[in-house]
Every structure is written in C-alpha cells, then in structure tokens.
Amino acid sequence: MKISKKDVLHIANLAHISLEEKEVHQYRNDLEKILHSIEELREVETEHVKEFFNPLKEMAHLKTTSTETQNFEDRAQNSLSQELVLKNSPDAQYGQFKLKSIMEPESKP
Amino acid sequence: MDIFEAHQKLKAKEISPSELTRQCLDKALKSKNNSFISIVEDFAHQCALESEKRIQKNGPQTYLDGIPFSLKDLFITKGIRTTAGSMILANYIPPYDGYVSEKLKKAGGTLIGKTNCDEFGMGSTNENSYFGPVSNPLNRKFVPGGSSGGSAVSVLEGSSFYSMGTDTGGSIRLPANFCGLISLRPSYGRISRYGQIAHSSSLDQCAPLGKSVTDMACLLEALTEYDVRDATNVPLGTMSIAQDVHQTPPEHLKGKKIGVYAPFIDACKPLVKSSLEKALKHCEEAGAKIVTIDLRHLKYAISTYYIISTSEASSNLARFDGIHYGLRESDGQGLEQTYQKSRSRGFGNEVKRRILLGTYSLSAGYYDAYYKKACQMRRLIFDDFQSAFKSCDVIFSPVCASTAFPVDMSQKSPTEMYINDFYTVPIALAGLPGLALPYGKGENDLPTGFQLIGKPFGEKELLKIGRALELTY
Amino acid sequence: MESRYNTIIGLEVHAQLATKTKTWCRCQVVSHAIENTKVCEICSGHPGTLPSMNQKVRDFAILLGLATQCRINLLSFFDRKNYFYPDLPKGYQITQYDVPICQDGHIEITSDNGEIKKIGIERIQIEEDTGKSIHNKKSTLIDLNRAGTPLLEIVGKPDIVNSKEAVSYLKKLHALLTYLGISSGNMQEGNMRCDVNISLSPKRSQKRGTRTETKNLNSFRSVEHLIELEVQRQGQILDEGKKVIQQTLSFDVNSSTIKILRTKSDANDYRYFPEPDLSPLAFEQSLVDKLAAQLPELPDAKKSRFQGQYKLSSYDADFLTSSKFLADYFEKAVKFFRGKDAKKISNWIMVELFHALNEVALPIEKSPISPADLSELLNMIDSGEISGKMAKEIFQKMFDEHKKARTVIEELDLRQINSDDKIEELIDTVLEQNLNEVTRYENGEKRLFGFFVGQVMKLSKGQANPAKVNKLLHKKLD
C-alpha cells in the first residue's frame, strides 16, 4: 500500500499536527511499512463476518449484564466551581477560556 | 513481602504503616531507575498516619490498609499532577479524582507517587516517556518493558508493594514478564475506567501488578465495586475472593484442562521456549491435562490491534488541543496554528505516529478497508477463543517471544517493535482476563514467564489455578 | 422562474431538550448562568472522563418519535463525529450516525391548496450541544455551560417544495415540541435551530439538482426569506446555463445576504466510528408503551376537537393550537367565561391580546393578563356592565399596568351607565343645551339623532349604554 507525501500531509492536517519536512518523510516511511504488514488482513475472507466493536456486546449470555443500558436519572449534581474549571486553562478572562481571536467564526464545522 | 503478608504483619502490629511508608519513600527518592514522575512525600506520610490511627483502633480495615503503592501516571489523581508521561500534560493538575485513586484511598492505601510510563500508554519499552526512560534494575542494558515500566520497576526496587498499571495490548503483562513479577489483566468491563486516561477505549483496562497471585485477588476485591459513571463497567458486584484464592491448594490443578497452541511456543526464543516447556511440564506433574487448541486467526491480531487501537486513540487524543488544559503553544497565529503547534510540540514521536495511523484508518475512503476490516478480524479472533474454551478451562501462552529488549532498540526501529506485542494483544481484543506469571529465566539471564488466559469474567478460576501453580514451584 | 424548476427542500432541525441535566453528565442545564459554573470534568472533556446517559433524553426522543409516527428502534447506537473546535472540548461530538433512536416518521401540514400533506421525517437522533464562543477583535472567549446540553436532531425528508410549507413544517414541529414538553422550541433563544437544504431541478427532469446547505437559521421568518432568496439565486445560475456548486452557506438576516462558508472539497472528514465508551442504547417495548400512554393530546387532535367543541374555524383552531400554552390559555379562559360563544374568547385572544403582546414583543407565556382575568372582562361585556368599546380601553390598561378588570374600572369609574333614570337625566341635559337642534330635528332633520347620541355619550364620558341611549332618546324625541 503506497502512501504519498500528500497523503501524509492530509492526515496530519486532519489530526491537527504540523510536521517538518524530515518528519513527513519519516512518517511516510513508517506508515508505509505498517500498512504493508496490515495488508495481510486481506488474506482472510470476512464479507459475512459481523463486526466486533466492544467485548460487552458479546456478553449477553451473562444474566447480570442487562440488555438495558444503565442510565442516570435526570437529577442535577454539583458542577465544578468556575475556578476549578479554569484552573488548568492556559489563558482565561472574564470567567471564560481565552484564545486569540478566531478569524472566521461562521466556518465552524 | 507481598500485600497479603504485609497485611498479616500490620494486623499483628509487627510493623507499622509509617515504617513501611518510610522504607518505600526512601527507595523511591533514591531510585536511579527513573521509575517515578511524581513522588508525593507529604501525602504519603499523611495517608500512613491515618492508617496507623485506624489500625491502632480496630486493626486494618481492608487488605490494602496501610500498604504503600504506586499508580501509573495514566490514573487521574485529584490535586496531584497527572501527566500520562507526556509533555502536553506536564503541568496538569486534575480537578477530579478517578475511580482507582478513590477506591485505593478508601481502602486505606498509601500512595507513594505516580509512576513513569510510555506516553499515553503507547510503547512496550518505557522509552517513549517525556520524562525519560525507565531503567531495569535487573540489568540496565535492557528495558523493563512498557508501557507500565515505572510500575513494574517501583515494585521491583521496593518503592511500592504493588502498583496499578494499565493494559491495552500488553502494557502490564509485558513489564511484569520482563521484571519477573505478577500481573493481571482483568476482563474488559471488570474494573471502571473512569479516571483512567484513555488510550484505546474498547481495549483499555486497569491492571494490577505485584508479587503474588493472592495480591491480585486482594486488589480485585478493592476495585470491583460497580461504577455507574462508566457505561462499559459491568455490574457484577464486588469480588470477595482473596481468602479463597489464597487457600487454594495445589490439588486444585488436578484434572484442569490447559489449552496450548503449539506454534506459539515454537516461535519463542530457545531459552524462553525451554522455560515455557518446563512450566507446562510442571502443570502436568501437578495433575493438569494439556489440551491442543487452535488459535489460527491470532496471527492477525497485531494488525487488527494496531488499526483499532490507533483509530480509537486518534479520537481520544483529540481533546489535547491546548484550549482548556494542557500545553498551549501561543506563538501560533490563529486557531489552526495553536492546535498544530501545541500538538506537534506536546506529543512525542510514537504518539504522533499512532495518531497518524489511526486518523488514516478512519478517514473517508479507508474506513471499510481498515477499521471495519479490523473489527471483523476481531470477531474471528474472539471466536477462536470461544471455540478453544469449549475444550479447556484455561489457555497457556507466552507473554513475549524473548526476554527484555536491549535499550534503544525501540528508538532505532520503532515500527519493528509492534510485532513484540504478538502474544499480548489477542486477549485485549477478545476482552478476556489474563494472568502473567514469572517462570524461570530466558536469554541474557533475564526473567521470563507465561500467561494464563481465562474465560470471560473468569478471574476467580484463573487466579485459583494461578495460585495452585504458584504453590507447586 | 419558479415554474421552470421543481424546488426540493429538506430541513434539519436541532432542538435543545428541556431536561434538568446534560446528556452525558449531571451538570444542570440552565438558560442563563455565570460563565463556566455549570461545567464538570466530563462536559469539559478532561482526560479520563467517560459519558453516561441521562435517561430523560432517551424518553424525550421516544416521545417525539411517537408523536411523529416514527419507528422506534429498541436498539440504536452512538457514534463519534470527530472535528476540532474550541467549543467542543472532547474533540468529537457523540451522536447517532449509523442507527438512530427513531426513523421514518412524518409531520402533517396544510399545503397551499388546503390539502393535508405529509412531510417525511428521515430520522431523529440524540446529540449533544457545544459550548458558546464569543468573538471580538482581540480574542475569543469560550463558555462551556452549554456544552453537553441534550439535542435532538430531526432530519426531514426533502418533501418540502416552497417557503410556506417549510414554515408550516417548522411551526408544527415547534408545536409538537412544546406539547410534549420536551423543548421550549424557542428559536430566538437558540433552543431550536434549522439548517436548510435546497436544490432545484428542471421540471419534468428525474435528475436531482445539486443542493446547498444553509446553517443555523433561528427564526421562521429567516427560513422563509432564505428559501425565497436561495431559490432565486439557484434559478438564476441554472438559467444562465451554469451549474450550482455544492456549498455550505450562511445567511445574514440583517443584510439579507447569503455568504459562502465552504465548498464540498473543504468539507470536514468527520471520521465517524462507533462510540466505544457507550454500550448500545437498548430498551424494551414496555418502555415505549409506557411513554405512549403518557402522550398528551397532540396539536392535530386538539385542533379537530376545538373545531367541533368550540365551533371554531380551521384558521382559528390552527392558531390557537399552535402552542400548548396558548391552547391551554384559551381553554382556561373558556372555562371561566359564562357566555356560550367561545368564539368571543378566541377573537379577543387572537386580535386584542396578540396585538398587545406583539407591540411589546412578549410571548403568550408572559402575558400579564391571565385567562381568568380575560374572561372576567368578557363576562362584564356580556352582562352589559361595560360596553365593548370601553372594554378595549380597560383591556389596554389591564395589560399595561398588570391589573384586574375590576380594579381598572373602579380606578377610572368606568362602569357603563345602564340605569334608565341616569340616562334620561343625561338626555335631558343635552336636549336642554341644544334647543336649536331639537327644533331642527322636530322640523324633519332626522339626521341630527346621531348628533344627540354623540352628545349624550360625550357627556357620559362614553359610559352610557349606547343601546339604552338610543331607545330613551327616541322615546324623548319621537
């Protein structure tokens, strides 16, 4: 499975990580190697195999694993104080997280 | 001295929590192994004093009361720095307490500190930490294993009696194996993940590491209370098995069917292989029956694992964007620059590599070929185990084909390291419990061992068999 | 232009749910609070946190599904929609991409030709809202109070053909939300937001045109206006033989301009995959049945009943049932009204009350006049205690000063004069003061009758019972 420099830059963009030229080269190599080994999965026929997303779904035979999702009642509990919420924030003002101005706010996804 | 023995001594007032704590703190502070990222001296003393008061009045309230322990720095501890071994969280102080921290506090344990680990649990040598690699005190030319290397070394060097680590694809079993210690990967859903910094959500489990099988049982007792905050935690109720496990006689092994898939043993290095064969012989001599099973799809487990774990990780790590907490590189021009610079600077190479791979696997046009395909393979691997368990009670498997790797090997050829997870990732994919036990020595005179794999939620039987075996060595 | 093309419109509505707490954590949901005080480690995306569901969200989704004839999926799943934005602390939104909780329902509207038309609902899915960001020149500030608030996304099928149908659909949906009590549906406050997908295709062509998507419209009027403008814009492009480009747009209500946000190629790759931290959303049919039994009388049924029971016209019944609060207001007022004709109440509400409310931009929920107070006033008109004209003045004072009818009447001494003696007194005074005109009347200028009536009314400050004035004046003069 070949992967191009453009592919790497596209993925890095999606992941919001910037890469220097030599990093692009390095990761391209790495990804190509890994994807090459992963090609082995093609050897196995899986067209009619149901996906396994989470072990718990398979535990239906356990009576104690209820098929009904465990949920919470609609009752409020205490939130964190504003101080704690903002404590680890790199920058805050007027009780809010602060960033440099976003140029095009309407282009929010 | 393991937890169980220390508990008896505390009960009998032969030792005090403060003494134990002082000893462990001493080892921690003087450690040359870089096993800790944060050591909480004052807090440790305070916990010890509180234990002491309790013990003087009514004796230790739980097995863990008064006993020093360490926590892998992937566990959230309120008010105590939690870094995940990463620069991006180097100064992060959590505003809340995680399940494991809460429960061990409640049980009366004394926290010595937060142990070093591969960044976000990504790695098998503990050389991917922003805070520097962890050294293996048994032989400094070799790694202690990862990602819970700091946890294993803290027990090995005596700075804690046990450590809580995590296991996503082998992160507790591998270091335990390399260091000659015991660890348990519980069934997926057995212990709440609330407060465990996520690596791969459908694979992560909180996993104890210590010196004996009974200790594993003691820890399960403290950590299996149902937590409704974790929707993947199964409400099976608190386990109460320590006494039962501890008192299991070697005869328990009689008639037990131990499943083995021969190609696995054969693929190991010669000395590791011969240790494993001896271990199997041991089982037979103790009255167990060795049964051949077929785990043919497990050879695809590594590829399956690396697609699933990196896909989930790429999403789990998106929250580290420099906005609400963690590192923010503010010389960025705008929002996009802030994201990119913070994440590029804050994450190490291995983390970046995995995020890129995971993002790729989930991206438009590739989801079916990678993520979906991997989930289908995961089904086949799970089915292999299901079939195997029809004819055996427990499965015997290597933990690693070799003993500890040489230092720096992971940095020179990172992608070649992935294959070393060969034996540990399958049970993570299937959600099964695994008990890693040390046995003999392998290459370079380093410890080796094996793992016993149990049926879904079959920890009790798994530990009983493990205990019985332990008694026969 | 419109006759050359078929217009195809599909609406996606996000409704904020009126639960007490958020979807995935136990923080309180409030419309106004000091910034970042209704936030916890979960809704601010701290490492190690996990979502756990508020069951009311599930219940509200089922209620809406039942009210829109959807198929309720006893097993549905959650997925992650991955993207980066500062008001999205986890870096992904938990949504239902693959299998949502409700599917394949419809809402009935009355189309242009008066017929009932079904607008299909593709799906109803559970989602969570983001935080709020405030942008100014130097900085952007983020408040996470809203982050994690439950949302239902209602995806309509592209069955709508014009702006009027779109507004009818939205009004009906709004009514359903308020009737069920699951959302305030207040568009201005952002509790209900609408994305509009529009495409044109030449008449008699099977081929679907390229669609554009305009996001986050927050009033019926702006939806209507946007549709009209966008249909025109696309029509012009097609007329010129060009192609419409698939784009995401935004609509500036103030300047009535459509702005291009991005084209398809810039579109985000959301990398949807099943949410690994949540088990599937599973429940039994018994829960659905229990909730079905709790459904209130819905708008369509209430409208029919109003038409039958109160003899209201279709238009009036439609108006009065457009929100549950209004429908209840009307029925309460009818209860207190001693008269037999409920149309008096409906007229008064639709004309007088709504005029007063609209003047000061108040919703019916904030009406200073209660149903009982309104009825009291109308009872007084019916009994003749006050005239219709006086009632209007009294009403305005009741509205402006938040007073009951009796209080206003007493303050202004506005009771209608009904006593024959009193009125005769007034008539005598007027006739005495206008002897010339009396003579002229007796000499045949019968038109002056109106003049005398006017003078009596003026003298009585409008309080004399006009019917009685007429009768007694005739008696005196003729």
Side-chain angles (χ1 to χ4, degrees), chain B residues 23-259:
Chain B
Q23 282 167 23
C24 288
L25 269 175
D26 197 49
K27 293 257 162 63
L29 291 163
K30 293 198 177 118
S31 169
K32 295 224 174 1
N33 303 312
N34 200 22
S35 44
F36 283 89
I37 292 175
S38 307
I39 297 173
V40 288
E41 257 187 279
D42 293 339
F43 184 70
H45 284 306
Q46 190 192 319
C47 290
L49 279 171
E50 282 166 21
S51 278
E52 230 148 63
K53 281 194 204 129
R54 266 195 303 275
I55 292 173
Q56 267 177 25
K57 237 178 159 175
N58 296 317
Q61 295 305 295
T62 68
Y63 288 112
L64 308 179
D65 205 347
I67 297 180
F69 71 101
S70 61
L71 281 179
K72 182 175 183 179
D73 214 9
L74 280 182
F75 288 107
I76 295 282
T77 42
K78 184 174 178 181
I80 297 173
R81 181 173 75 147
T82 302
T83 70
S86 178
M87 182 188 179
I88 215 165
L89 289 179
N91 299 309
Y92 173 68
I93 315 265
Y96 78 103
D97 216 8
Y99 175 85
V100 169
S101 169
E102 277 173 356
K103 284 283 170 276
L104 294 178
K105 211 180 286 180
K106 191 168 150 201
T110 298
L111 179 66
I112 297 294
K114 310 297 290 299
T115 57
N116 201 346
C117 58
D118 281 309
E119 198 180 346
F120 289 105
M122 298 178 182
S124 47
T125 63
N126 220 139
E127 293 170 306
N128 290 329
S129 165
Y130 171 67
F131 298 91
V134 175
S135 298
N136 186 339
L138 298 173
N139 187 329
R140 305 185 86 77
K141 292 207 193 97
F142 297 90
V143 299
S147 60
S148 312
S151 284
V153 171
S154 82
V155 173
L156 200 54
E157 73 190 1
S159 55
S160 59
F161 275 73
Y162 67 92
S163 186
M164 291 309 300
T166 65
D167 192 294
T168 302
S171 289
I172 200 71
R173 288 166 287 149
L174 194 63
N177 183 262
F178 284 0
C179 294
L181 295 166
I182 294 177
S183 71
L184 173 71
R185 188 207 147 89
S187 304
Y188 183 84
R190 174 66 82 179
I191 300 180
S192 168
R193 291 184 295 118
Y194 194 83
Q196 184 180 324
I197 299 181
H199 167 174
S200 175
S201 316
S202 73
L203 298 163
D204 288 345
Q205 257 302 277
C206 155
L209 179 148
K211 300 175 202 163
S212 70
V213 176
T214 307
D215 282 3
M216 299 299 102
C218 293
L219 287 164
L220 277 184
E221 284 206 6
L223 293 169
T224 46
E225 191 181 328
Y226 174 58
D227 185 0
V228 69
R229 297 170 300 180
D230 177 358
T232 62
N233 186 208
V234 181
L236 289 171
T238 306
M239 294 184 90
S240 210
I241 54 171
Q243 277 299 332
D244 189 359
V245 166
H246 188 70
Q247 284 163 6
T248 304
E251 287 71 42
H252 185 77
L253 284 164
K254 279 206 165 68
K256 292 291 175 200
K257 298 201 230 50
I258 299 182

Side-chain angles (χ1 to χ4, degrees), chain B residues 76 92 95-96 193-196 201 228-232 315-316 318-319 324-325 335 339 343 362-364 367 371, chain C residues 41-42 44-50 52 80 82 84-86 89-90 92 144 269 271-274 276-279:
Chain B
I76 295 282
Y92 173 68
Y96 78 103
R193 291 184 295 118
Y194 194 83
Q196 184 180 324
S201 316
V228 69
R229 297 170 300 180
D230 177 358
T232 62
S315 177
N316 286 330
R319 65 189 64 205
H324 308 101
Y325 50 77
L335 180 63
Y339 283 147
R343 288 163 66 78
L362 291 174
S363 64
Y367 178 91
Y371 189 78
Chain C
E41 66 268 16
I42 300 170
S44 55
H46 274 260
T49 53
L50 297 169
S52 44
R80 288 191 189 177
N82 297 283
F84 285 75
Y85 203 76
K90 295 191 298 295
Y92 57 87
L144 295 180
D269 178 358
R271 286 157 284 130
Y272 290 99
F273 73 101
D277 288 330
L278 291 170
S279 28

Side-chain angles (χ1 to χ4, degrees), chain B residues 452-468:
Chain B
L452 293 174
I453 300 166
K455 293 181 180 171
F457 297 103
E459 283 89 331
K460 181 168 159 188
E461 181 58 18
L462 184 62
L463 290 175
K464 283 175 75 75
I465 291 177
R467 172 65 175 158

Side-chain angles (χ1 to χ4, degrees), chain C residues 109-176:
Chain C
I109 60 167
T110 310
S111 67
D112 284 349
N113 56 16
E115 282 174 14
I116 304 284
K117 180 175 175 182
K118 284 189 182 161
I119 305 293
I121 288 181
E122 185 79 50
R123 46 166 50 212
I124 298 175
Q125 62 198 42
I126 294 171
E127 295 193 341
E128 51 173 339
D129 213 344
T130 58
K132 276 206 184 111
S133 29
I134 301 173
H135 308 281
N136 55 54
K137 278 211 181 91
K138 289 218 181 103
S139 62
T140 288
L141 298 173
I142 313 278
D143 169 22
L144 295 180
N145 281 347
R146 193 183 69 180
T149 300
L151 293 178
L152 286 183
E153 178 171 351
I154 302 121
V155 180
K157 292 190 180 164
D159 296 338
I160 295 173
V161 300
N162 61 43
S163 59
K164 285 202 169 44
E165 285 191 356
V167 172
S168 296
Y169 171 87
L170 288 174
K171 284 189 170 164
K172 196 47 135 355
L173 180 55
H174 174 271
L176 282 174

Side-chain angles (χ1 to χ4, degrees), chain C residues 25-54:
Chain C
C25 66
R26 317 281 78 78
C27 287
Q28 224 187 342
V29 169
V30 286
S31 46
H32 301 286
I34 299 174
E35 290 85 356
N36 290 307
T37 53
K38 300 295 174 194
V39 177
C40 70
E41 66 268 16
I42 300 170
C43 54
S44 55
H46 274 260
T49 53
L50 297 169
S52 44
M53 205 171 97
N54 173 351

Side-chain angles (χ1 to χ4, degrees), chain A residues 86 88-93 96-100, chain B residues 322-324 328 330, chain C residues 141:
Chain A
L86 297 172
N88 285 286
S89 172
D91 198 2
Q93 195 178 35
Q96 296 169 78
F97 300 92
K98 185 175 169 194
L99 315 167
K100 282 208 174 72
Chain B
I323 307 295
H324 308 101
R328 184 196 294 182
S330 46
Chain C
L141 298 173

